[in-house]
Amino acid sequence: MTIKVRNRLNLTIFILSLIFLIFAFVFIGYQHIYTNFSLPEVFLTNQTSNNFLFGYNPYVVILSILFELFYAVLVLFLVRRNFFKTQSSIVLFFITYLTGCVFDSFRILIPLFHISGTFSQALLIIGDTSLFGRLLSTFSLMMIALFTLDDQPVQTDRNLLLLIVFSLFVAAIIPMNTAKILPTFNVSYGYSHIVFILIIIVEVLSVFTVFITNYRNESSQLQTLGFALLIAGYMLLIYTTNLFMLIIAYILLGVGTGIYMFQLHNNYLWR
């Protein structure tokens, strides 16, 4: 993929994500002012706490989804600004990771359109889209780690296509239970524990790969630190159910992304 095509892709995703973010804010504001904004009934496995910081709060979940979408829009803009002329597979898969965040944020449509309990096709599509987004982000981070070993823009298009097709395939074959909405406003899906463990394993191996690469190249481990904080913040954000988790996720994701992008920029600047 040429730099020109990648930048056009980045710009397109940025514009569509920004439109989605504005729509979500406007629609939520409209419902609060002119209609009764109601939250979906969620399936809670444990007894909820009334603690302000640690208790389950559905409004915090909405804030976490909006922040995930805002984060994707902001970083897509920063990627375009700082890596506009950089030929790199890592930058491409970083854009793909952010695109996965946008797809995961589609779960906000469940409370916005009040479709929980409807067993509708729309609910099924939102569930599949959100799961696809999480898988896409997870495996994109894995690809970033692998290309840190040797960032040669060879067969990037094929690797990107395989990544998208694989994530779509996995999301499509996993059954959705539209009768149950999880506390994170995800549609309940089968093999959730296996998917969670798989995501954890992939993320840990990705951080380990970046660490080993920087160690062998005698490079600064600040890049590894930023990458690890980014992943930790992302994991907390997509599973946020209370204010404490949201605050920690906000800090980790913001600091981690900032450190990683700064180190990545410096690496290409000195090449």
mmCIF file of all heavy atoms in Angstrom, residues 126-169:
data_model
loop_
_atom_site.group_PDB
_atom_site.id
_atom_site.type_symbol
_atom_site.label_atom_id
_atom_site.label_comp_id
_atom_site.label_asym_id
_atom_site.label_seq_id
_atom_site.Cartn_x
_atom_site.Cartn_y
_atom_site.Cartn_z
ATOM 1 N N ILE A 126 -25.001 -5.307 15.494
ATOM 2 C CA ILE A 126 -24.210 -4.499 16.423
ATOM 3 C C ILE A 126 -23.299 -5.384 17.262
ATOM 4 O O ILE A 126 -22.123 -5.066 17.481
ATOM 5 C CB ILE A 126 -25.132 -3.660 17.326
ATOM 6 C CG1 ILE A 126 -25.833 -2.576 16.501
ATOM 7 C CG2 ILE A 126 -24.345 -3.020 18.466
ATOM 8 C CD1 ILE A 126 -26.907 -1.832 17.263
ATOM 9 N N GLY A 127 -23.835 -6.522 17.715
ATOM 10 C CA GLY A 127 -23.024 -7.455 18.495
ATOM 11 C C GLY A 127 -21.848 -7.996 17.700
ATOM 12 O O GLY A 127 -20.712 -8.039 18.190
ATOM 13 N N ASP A 128 -22.094 -8.401 16.470
ATOM 14 C CA ASP A 128 -21.027 -8.912 15.606
ATOM 15 C C ASP A 128 -20.003 -7.818 15.286
ATOM 16 O O ASP A 128 -18.793 -8.080 15.257
ATOM 17 C CB ASP A 128 -21.618 -9.450 14.297
ATOM 18 C CG ASP A 128 -22.305 -10.791 14.477
ATOM 19 O OD1 ASP A 128 -21.906 -11.549 15.385
ATOM 20 O OD2 ASP A 128 -23.241 -11.093 13.710
ATOM 21 N N THR A 129 -20.491 -6.604 15.044
ATOM 22 C CA THR A 129 -19.595 -5.494 14.707
ATOM 23 C C THR A 129 -18.667 -5.151 15.862
ATOM 24 O O THR A 129 -17.462 -4.927 15.677
ATOM 25 C CB THR A 129 -20.404 -4.249 14.307
ATOM 26 O OG1 THR A 129 -21.254 -4.567 13.212
ATOM 27 C CG2 THR A 129 -19.486 -3.105 13.925
ATOM 28 N N SER A 130 -19.223 -5.107 17.066
ATOM 29 C CA SER A 130 -18.415 -4.795 18.240
ATOM 30 C C SER A 130 -17.352 -5.871 18.487
ATOM 31 O O SER A 130 -16.188 -5.558 18.762
ATOM 32 C CB SER A 130 -19.309 -4.651 19.476
ATOM 33 O OG SER A 130 -18.534 -4.399 20.628
ATOM 34 N N LEU A 131 -17.751 -7.133 18.368
ATOM 35 C CA LEU A 131 -16.789 -8.220 18.556
ATOM 36 C C LEU A 131 -15.717 -8.183 17.473
ATOM 37 O O LEU A 131 -14.521 -8.384 17.752
ATOM 38 C CB LEU A 131 -17.517 -9.565 18.536
ATOM 39 C CG LEU A 131 -16.643 -10.817 18.717
ATOM 40 C CD1 LEU A 131 -15.861 -10.754 20.021
ATOM 41 C CD2 LEU A 131 -17.492 -12.081 18.654
ATOM 42 N N PHE A 132 -16.114 -7.909 16.238
ATOM 43 C CA PHE A 132 -15.153 -7.772 15.150
ATOM 44 C C PHE A 132 -14.152 -6.662 15.451
ATOM 45 O O PHE A 132 -12.943 -6.808 15.217
ATOM 46 C CB PHE A 132 -15.891 -7.472 13.846
ATOM 47 C CG PHE A 132 -15.008 -6.946 12.746
ATOM 48 C CD1 PHE A 132 -14.073 -7.761 12.128
ATOM 49 C CD2 PHE A 132 -15.120 -5.621 12.330
ATOM 50 C CE1 PHE A 132 -13.261 -7.270 11.115
ATOM 51 C CE2 PHE A 132 -14.318 -5.128 11.318
ATOM 52 C CZ PHE A 132 -13.377 -5.947 10.710
ATOM 53 N N GLY A 133 -14.642 -5.548 15.993
ATOM 54 C CA GLY A 133 -13.759 -4.437 16.321
ATOM 55 C C GLY A 133 -12.723 -4.814 17.362
ATOM 56 O O GLY A 133 -11.546 -4.450 17.236
ATOM 57 N N ARG A 134 -13.141 -5.547 18.381
ATOM 58 C CA ARG A 134 -12.189 -5.960 19.426
ATOM 59 C C ARG A 134 -11.142 -6.920 18.880
ATOM 60 O O ARG A 134 -9.955 -6.819 19.221
ATOM 61 C CB ARG A 134 -12.948 -6.605 20.585
ATOM 62 C CG ARG A 134 -13.842 -5.636 21.309
ATOM 63 C CD ARG A 134 -14.393 -6.171 22.599
ATOM 64 N NE ARG A 134 -15.197 -5.144 23.254
ATOM 65 C CZ ARG A 134 -15.669 -5.235 24.483
ATOM 66 N NH1 ARG A 134 -15.425 -6.310 25.200
ATOM 67 N NH2 ARG A 134 -16.370 -4.249 25.012
ATOM 68 N N LEU A 135 -11.574 -7.843 18.055
ATOM 69 C CA LEU A 135 -10.630 -8.781 17.457
ATOM 70 C C LEU A 135 -9.675 -8.052 16.508
ATOM 71 O O LEU A 135 -8.467 -8.327 16.501
ATOM 72 C CB LEU A 135 -11.383 -9.879 16.705
ATOM 73 C CG LEU A 135 -12.226 -10.822 17.563
ATOM 74 C CD1 LEU A 135 -13.077 -11.735 16.678
ATOM 75 C CD2 LEU A 135 -11.345 -11.661 18.485
ATOM 76 N N LEU A 136 -10.214 -7.118 15.729
ATOM 77 C CA LEU A 136 -9.388 -6.373 14.788
ATOM 78 C C LEU A 136 -8.330 -5.556 15.524
ATOM 79 O O LEU A 136 -7.161 -5.534 15.121
ATOM 80 C CB LEU A 136 -10.272 -5.449 13.943
ATOM 81 C CG LEU A 136 -9.565 -4.683 12.822
ATOM 82 C CD1 LEU A 136 -9.020 -5.640 11.773
ATOM 83 C CD2 LEU A 136 -10.528 -3.678 12.178
ATOM 84 N N SER A 137 -8.717 -4.884 16.597
ATOM 85 C CA SER A 137 -7.762 -4.102 17.374
ATOM 86 C C SER A 137 -6.701 -4.991 18.001
ATOM 87 O O SER A 137 -5.502 -4.680 17.975
ATOM 88 C CB SER A 137 -8.495 -3.307 18.467
ATOM 89 O OG SER A 137 -9.275 -2.270 17.919
ATOM 90 N N THR A 138 -7.129 -6.104 18.561
ATOM 91 C CA THR A 138 -6.199 -7.016 19.225
ATOM 92 C C THR A 138 -5.155 -7.554 18.265
ATOM 93 O O THR A 138 -3.942 -7.511 18.543
ATOM 94 C CB THR A 138 -6.964 -8.189 19.859
ATOM 95 O OG1 THR A 138 -7.877 -7.682 20.839
ATOM 96 C CG2 THR A 138 -6.003 -9.164 20.527
ATOM 97 N N PHE A 139 -5.595 -8.057 17.123
ATOM 98 C CA PHE A 139 -4.655 -8.639 16.165
ATOM 99 C C PHE A 139 -3.856 -7.562 15.428
ATOM 100 O O PHE A 139 -2.749 -7.838 14.951
ATOM 101 C CB PHE A 139 -5.403 -9.547 15.196
ATOM 102 C CG PHE A 139 -5.933 -10.793 15.834
ATOM 103 C CD1 PHE A 139 -7.295 -11.038 15.905
ATOM 104 C CD2 PHE A 139 -5.068 -11.721 16.396
ATOM 105 C CE1 PHE A 139 -7.788 -12.186 16.516
ATOM 106 C CE2 PHE A 139 -5.543 -12.867 17.005
ATOM 107 C CZ PHE A 139 -6.906 -13.105 17.071
ATOM 108 N N SER A 140 -4.385 -6.353 15.344
ATOM 109 C CA SER A 140 -3.605 -5.252 14.776
ATOM 110 C C SER A 140 -2.431 -4.910 15.684
ATOM 111 O O SER A 140 -1.318 -4.639 15.208
ATOM 112 C CB SER A 140 -4.490 -4.019 14.575
ATOM 113 O OG SER A 140 -5.478 -4.251 13.603
ATOM 114 N N LEU A 141 -2.668 -4.911 16.989
ATOM 115 C CA LEU A 141 -1.582 -4.684 17.934
ATOM 116 C C LEU A 141 -0.535 -5.789 17.839
ATOM 117 O O LEU A 141 0.671 -5.535 17.972
ATOM 118 C CB LEU A 141 -2.135 -4.588 19.359
ATOM 119 C CG LEU A 141 -2.983 -3.341 19.655
ATOM 120 C CD1 LEU A 141 -3.686 -3.472 21.001
ATOM 121 C CD2 LEU A 141 -2.114 -2.078 19.631
ATOM 122 N N MET A 142 -0.989 -7.005 17.601
ATOM 123 C CA MET A 142 -0.054 -8.117 17.395
ATOM 124 C C MET A 142 0.788 -7.885 16.145
ATOM 125 O O MET A 142 2.013 -8.108 16.155
ATOM 126 C CB MET A 142 -0.823 -9.433 17.271
ATOM 127 C CG MET A 142 0.065 -10.654 17.043
ATOM 128 S SD MET A 142 -0.890 -12.135 16.623
ATOM 129 C CE MET A 142 -1.449 -11.694 14.962
ATOM 130 N N MET A 143 0.166 -7.405 15.071
ATOM 131 C CA MET A 143 0.897 -7.134 13.837
ATOM 132 C C MET A 143 1.896 -5.996 14.033
ATOM 133 O O MET A 143 3.002 -6.013 13.471
ATOM 134 C CB MET A 143 -0.082 -6.792 12.715
ATOM 135 C CG MET A 143 -1.004 -7.932 12.304
ATOM 136 S SD MET A 143 -0.107 -9.392 11.713
ATOM 137 C CE MET A 143 0.610 -8.751 10.191
ATOM 138 N N ILE A 144 1.520 -4.999 14.830
ATOM 139 C CA ILE A 144 2.452 -3.908 15.140
ATOM 140 C C ILE A 144 3.697 -4.464 15.811
ATOM 141 O O ILE A 144 4.832 -4.097 15.477
ATOM 142 C CB ILE A 144 1.770 -2.869 16.047
ATOM 143 C CG1 ILE A 144 0.711 -2.092 15.264
ATOM 144 C CG2 ILE A 144 2.799 -1.907 16.647
ATOM 145 C CD1 ILE A 144 -0.138 -1.174 16.115
ATOM 146 N N ALA A 145 3.487 -5.377 16.771
ATOM 147 C CA ALA A 145 4.621 -5.990 17.471
ATOM 148 C C ALA A 145 5.486 -6.803 16.516
ATOM 149 O O ALA A 145 6.720 -6.747 16.571
ATOM 150 C CB ALA A 145 4.115 -6.865 18.611
ATOM 151 N N LEU A 146 4.859 -7.550 15.619
ATOM 152 C CA LEU A 146 5.614 -8.377 14.677
ATOM 153 C C LEU A 146 6.411 -7.527 13.700
ATOM 154 O O LEU A 146 7.554 -7.851 13.367
ATOM 155 C CB LEU A 146 4.659 -9.308 13.916
ATOM 156 C CG LEU A 146 3.987 -10.407 14.738
ATOM 157 C CD1 LEU A 146 3.001 -11.195 13.882
ATOM 158 C CD2 LEU A 146 5.032 -11.351 15.338
ATOM 159 N N PHE A 147 5.821 -6.415 13.244
ATOM 160 C CA PHE A 147 6.537 -5.554 12.308
ATOM 161 C C PHE A 147 7.590 -4.705 13.003
ATOM 162 O O PHE A 147 8.440 -4.112 12.331
ATOM 163 C CB PHE A 147 5.560 -4.665 11.540
ATOM 164 C CG PHE A 147 4.958 -5.335 10.343
ATOM 165 C CD1 PHE A 147 3.666 -5.847 10.378
ATOM 166 C CD2 PHE A 147 5.699 -5.492 9.179
ATOM 167 C CE1 PHE A 147 3.115 -6.484 9.281
ATOM 168 C CE2 PHE A 147 5.156 -6.129 8.067
ATOM 169 C CZ PHE A 147 3.865 -6.629 8.118
ATOM 170 N N THR A 148 7.545 -4.645 14.334
ATOM 171 C CA THR A 148 8.626 -3.994 15.066
ATOM 172 C C THR A 148 9.916 -4.781 14.900
ATOM 173 O O THR A 148 11.014 -4.222 14.909
ATOM 174 C CB THR A 148 8.271 -3.861 16.559
ATOM 175 O OG1 THR A 148 7.044 -3.134 16.691
ATOM 176 C CG2 THR A 148 9.361 -3.114 17.322
ATOM 177 N N LEU A 149 9.783 -6.112 14.724
ATOM 178 C CA LEU A 149 10.950 -6.958 14.475
ATOM 179 C C LEU A 149 11.654 -6.555 13.188
ATOM 180 O O LEU A 149 12.879 -6.439 13.135
ATOM 181 C CB LEU A 149 10.523 -8.435 14.386
ATOM 182 C CG LEU A 149 10.072 -9.123 15.673
ATOM 183 C CD1 LEU A 149 9.419 -10.451 15.356
ATOM 184 C CD2 LEU A 149 11.265 -9.323 16.594
ATOM 185 N N ASP A 150 10.880 -6.326 12.145
ATOM 186 C CA ASP A 150 11.444 -5.966 10.840
ATOM 187 C C ASP A 150 10.374 -5.223 10.053
ATOM 188 O O ASP A 150 9.526 -5.838 9.413
ATOM 189 C CB ASP A 150 11.891 -7.218 10.083
ATOM 190 C CG ASP A 150 12.571 -6.883 8.759
ATOM 191 O OD1 ASP A 150 13.005 -5.729 8.597
ATOM 192 O OD2 ASP A 150 12.649 -7.778 7.892
ATOM 193 N N ASP A 151 10.423 -3.906 10.122
ATOM 194 C CA ASP A 151 9.383 -3.089 9.492
ATOM 195 C C ASP A 151 9.699 -2.876 8.013
ATOM 196 O O ASP A 151 10.113 -1.795 7.594
ATOM 197 C CB ASP A 151 9.259 -1.749 10.216
ATOM 198 C CG ASP A 151 8.072 -0.948 9.716
ATOM 199 O OD1 ASP A 151 7.210 -1.534 9.039
ATOM 200 O OD2 ASP A 151 8.011 0.263 10.000
ATOM 201 N N GLN A 152 9.515 -3.923 7.234
ATOM 202 C CA GLN A 152 9.686 -3.835 5.794
ATOM 203 C C GLN A 152 8.304 -3.905 5.147
ATOM 204 O O GLN A 152 7.570 -4.874 5.356
ATOM 205 C CB GLN A 152 10.562 -4.985 5.267
ATOM 206 C CG GLN A 152 11.976 -4.975 5.822
ATOM 207 C CD GLN A 152 12.763 -3.754 5.382
ATOM 208 O OE1 GLN A 152 12.561 -3.247 4.283
ATOM 209 N NE2 GLN A 152 13.656 -3.285 6.235
ATOM 210 N N PRO A 153 7.930 -2.879 4.391
ATOM 211 C CA PRO A 153 6.584 -2.835 3.794
ATOM 212 C C PRO A 153 6.427 -3.832 2.645
ATOM 213 O O PRO A 153 6.256 -3.465 1.490
ATOM 214 C CB PRO A 153 6.490 -1.386 3.294
ATOM 215 C CG PRO A 153 7.900 -0.979 3.031
ATOM 216 C CD PRO A 153 8.736 -1.689 4.057
ATOM 217 N N VAL A 154 6.524 -5.127 2.998
ATOM 218 C CA VAL A 154 6.414 -6.183 2.004
ATOM 219 C C VAL A 154 5.125 -6.968 2.258
ATOM 220 O O VAL A 154 4.867 -7.397 3.384
ATOM 221 C CB VAL A 154 7.630 -7.135 2.063
ATOM 222 C CG1 VAL A 154 7.477 -8.253 1.043
ATOM 223 C CG2 VAL A 154 8.921 -6.362 1.829
ATOM 224 N N GLN A 155 4.303 -7.108 1.222
ATOM 225 C CA GLN A 155 3.035 -7.851 1.300
ATOM 226 C C GLN A 155 2.122 -7.307 2.400
ATOM 227 O O GLN A 155 1.375 -8.053 3.024
ATOM 228 C CB GLN A 155 3.307 -9.346 1.523
ATOM 229 C CG GLN A 155 4.072 -9.996 0.373
ATOM 230 C CD GLN A 155 4.292 -11.479 0.580
ATOM 231 O OE1 GLN A 155 4.390 -11.949 1.709
ATOM 232 N NE2 GLN A 155 4.367 -12.219 -0.507
ATOM 233 N N THR A 156 2.202 -5.997 2.618
ATOM 234 C CA THR A 156 1.377 -5.372 3.651
ATOM 235 C C THR A 156 -0.102 -5.494 3.322
ATOM 236 O O THR A 156 -0.925 -5.763 4.210
ATOM 237 C CB THR A 156 1.760 -3.888 3.806
ATOM 238 O OG1 THR A 156 3.149 -3.784 4.084
ATOM 239 C CG2 THR A 156 0.971 -3.252 4.932
ATOM 240 N N ASP A 157 -0.446 -5.289 2.065
ATOM 241 C CA ASP A 157 -1.850 -5.383 1.653
ATOM 242 C C ASP A 157 -2.413 -6.764 1.935
ATOM 243 O O ASP A 157 -3.545 -6.900 2.420
ATOM 244 C CB ASP A 157 -1.985 -5.070 0.165
ATOM 245 C CG ASP A 157 -1.632 -3.621 -0.156
ATOM 246 O OD1 ASP A 157 -1.376 -2.858 0.790
ATOM 247 O OD2 ASP A 157 -1.634 -3.255 -1.341
ATOM 248 N N ARG A 158 -1.635 -7.795 1.627
ATOM 249 C CA ARG A 158 -2.090 -9.161 1.860
ATOM 250 C C ARG A 158 -2.275 -9.428 3.351
ATOM 251 O O ARG A 158 -3.272 -10.025 3.769
ATOM 252 C CB ARG A 158 -1.091 -10.160 1.283
ATOM 253 C CG ARG A 158 -1.585 -11.607 1.308
ATOM 254 C CD ARG A 158 -0.472 -12.599 1.080
ATOM 255 N NE ARG A 158 0.470 -12.606 2.197
ATOM 256 C CZ ARG A 158 1.465 -13.481 2.325
ATOM 257 N NH1 ARG A 158 1.681 -14.374 1.376
ATOM 258 N NH2 ARG A 158 2.269 -13.440 3.369
ATOM 259 N N ASN A 159 -1.305 -8.970 4.151
ATOM 260 C CA ASN A 159 -1.397 -9.166 5.601
ATOM 261 C C ASN A 159 -2.604 -8.439 6.188
ATOM 262 O O ASN A 159 -3.297 -8.963 7.072
ATOM 263 C CB ASN A 159 -0.114 -8.676 6.279
ATOM 264 C CG ASN A 159 1.090 -9.529 5.932
ATOM 265 O OD1 ASN A 159 0.966 -10.734 5.725
ATOM 266 N ND2 ASN A 159 2.252 -8.914 5.860
ATOM 267 N N LEU A 160 -2.864 -7.241 5.686
ATOM 268 C CA LEU A 160 -4.019 -6.473 6.163
ATOM 269 C C LEU A 160 -5.320 -7.169 5.790
ATOM 270 O O LEU A 160 -6.241 -7.280 6.614
ATOM 271 C CB LEU A 160 -3.982 -5.065 5.576
ATOM 272 C CG LEU A 160 -5.155 -4.147 5.935
ATOM 273 C CD1 LEU A 160 -5.230 -3.932 7.443
ATOM 274 C CD2 LEU A 160 -5.031 -2.807 5.209
ATOM 275 N N LEU A 161 -5.397 -7.661 4.565
ATOM 276 C CA LEU A 161 -6.602 -8.360 4.111
ATOM 277 C C LEU A 161 -6.835 -9.629 4.926
ATOM 278 O O LEU A 161 -7.971 -9.904 5.347
ATOM 279 C CB LEU A 161 -6.480 -8.699 2.628
ATOM 280 C CG LEU A 161 -7.671 -9.438 1.996
ATOM 281 C CD1 LEU A 161 -8.936 -8.598 2.105
ATOM 282 C CD2 LEU A 161 -7.374 -9.789 0.544
ATOM 283 N N LEU A 162 -5.770 -10.380 5.172
ATOM 284 C CA LEU A 162 -5.895 -11.601 5.973
ATOM 285 C C LEU A 162 -6.352 -11.284 7.389
ATOM 286 O O LEU A 162 -7.178 -12.006 7.965
ATOM 287 C CB LEU A 162 -4.556 -12.345 6.010
ATOM 288 C CG LEU A 162 -4.121 -13.051 4.714
ATOM 289 C CD1 LEU A 162 -2.716 -13.629 4.863
ATOM 290 C CD2 LEU A 162 -5.107 -14.155 4.355
ATOM 291 N N LEU A 163 -5.832 -10.198 7.937
ATOM 292 C CA LEU A 163 -6.213 -9.788 9.287
ATOM 293 C C LEU A 163 -7.698 -9.454 9.362
ATOM 294 O O LEU A 163 -8.406 -9.896 10.282
ATOM 295 C CB LEU A 163 -5.377 -8.579 9.709
ATOM 296 C CG LEU A 163 -5.702 -7.948 11.060
ATOM 297 C CD1 LEU A 163 -5.424 -8.922 12.184
ATOM 298 C CD2 LEU A 163 -4.899 -6.664 11.249
ATOM 299 N N ILE A 164 -8.187 -8.689 8.393
ATOM 300 C CA ILE A 164 -9.595 -8.289 8.370
ATOM 301 C C ILE A 164 -10.500 -9.500 8.163
ATOM 302 O O ILE A 164 -11.507 -9.672 8.873
ATOM 303 C CB ILE A 164 -9.830 -7.239 7.275
ATOM 304 C CG1 ILE A 164 -9.087 -5.944 7.604
ATOM 305 C CG2 ILE A 164 -11.324 -6.958 7.103
ATOM 306 C CD1 ILE A 164 -9.136 -4.908 6.508
ATOM 307 N N VAL A 165 -10.142 -10.358 7.204
ATOM 308 C CA VAL A 165 -10.955 -11.541 6.902
ATOM 309 C C VAL A 165 -10.994 -12.482 8.100
ATOM 310 O O VAL A 165 -12.061 -13.018 8.452
ATOM 311 C CB VAL A 165 -10.410 -12.273 5.658
ATOM 312 C CG1 VAL A 165 -11.099 -13.614 5.482
ATOM 313 C CG2 VAL A 165 -10.603 -11.417 4.412
ATOM 314 N N PHE A 166 -9.852 -12.689 8.742
ATOM 315 C CA PHE A 166 -9.804 -13.583 9.907
ATOM 316 C C PHE A 166 -10.670 -13.045 11.049
ATOM 317 O O PHE A 166 -11.426 -13.805 11.678
ATOM 318 C CB PHE A 166 -8.355 -13.747 10.379
ATOM 319 C CG PHE A 166 -8.211 -14.617 11.598
ATOM 320 C CD1 PHE A 166 -8.342 -15.997 11.503
ATOM 321 C CD2 PHE A 166 -7.955 -14.050 12.840
ATOM 322 C CE1 PHE A 166 -8.225 -16.798 12.631
ATOM 323 C CE2 PHE A 166 -7.828 -14.845 13.975
ATOM 324 C CZ PHE A 166 -7.969 -16.223 13.868
ATOM 325 N N SER A 167 -10.569 -11.748 11.325
ATOM 326 C CA SER A 167 -11.377 -11.143 12.391
ATOM 327 C C SER A 167 -12.862 -11.230 12.071
ATOM 328 O O SER A 167 -13.686 -11.522 12.948
ATOM 329 C CB SER A 167 -10.963 -9.680 12.601
ATOM 330 O OG SER A 167 -9.608 -9.574 12.966
ATOM 331 N N LEU A 168 -13.220 -10.990 10.803
ATOM 332 C CA LEU A 168 -14.613 -11.117 10.380
ATOM 333 C C LEU A 168 -15.111 -12.543 10.524
ATOM 334 O O LEU A 168 -16.237 -12.780 10.992
ATOM 335 C CB LEU A 168 -14.761 -10.664 8.925
ATOM 336 C CG LEU A 168 -14.897 -9.171 8.657
ATOM 337 C CD1 LEU A 168 -14.828 -8.900 7.159
ATOM 338 C CD2 LEU A 168 -16.200 -8.633 9.240
ATOM 339 N N PHE A 169 -14.280 -13.497 10.132
ATOM 340 C CA PHE A 169 -14.666 -14.904 10.189
ATOM 341 C C PHE A 169 -14.919 -15.352 11.626
ATOM 342 O O PHE A 169 -15.947 -15.990 11.913
ATOM 343 C CB PHE A 169 -13.567 -15.764 9.558
ATOM 344 C CG PHE A 169 -13.801 -17.236 9.678
ATOM 345 C CD1 PHE A 169 -14.736 -17.875 8.875
ATOM 346 C CD2 PHE A 169 -13.087 -17.991 10.600
ATOM 347 C CE1 PHE A 169 -14.960 -19.240 8.994
ATOM 348 C CE2 PHE A 169 -13.304 -19.353 10.730
ATOM 349 C CZ PHE A 169 -14.241 -19.975 9.923
#
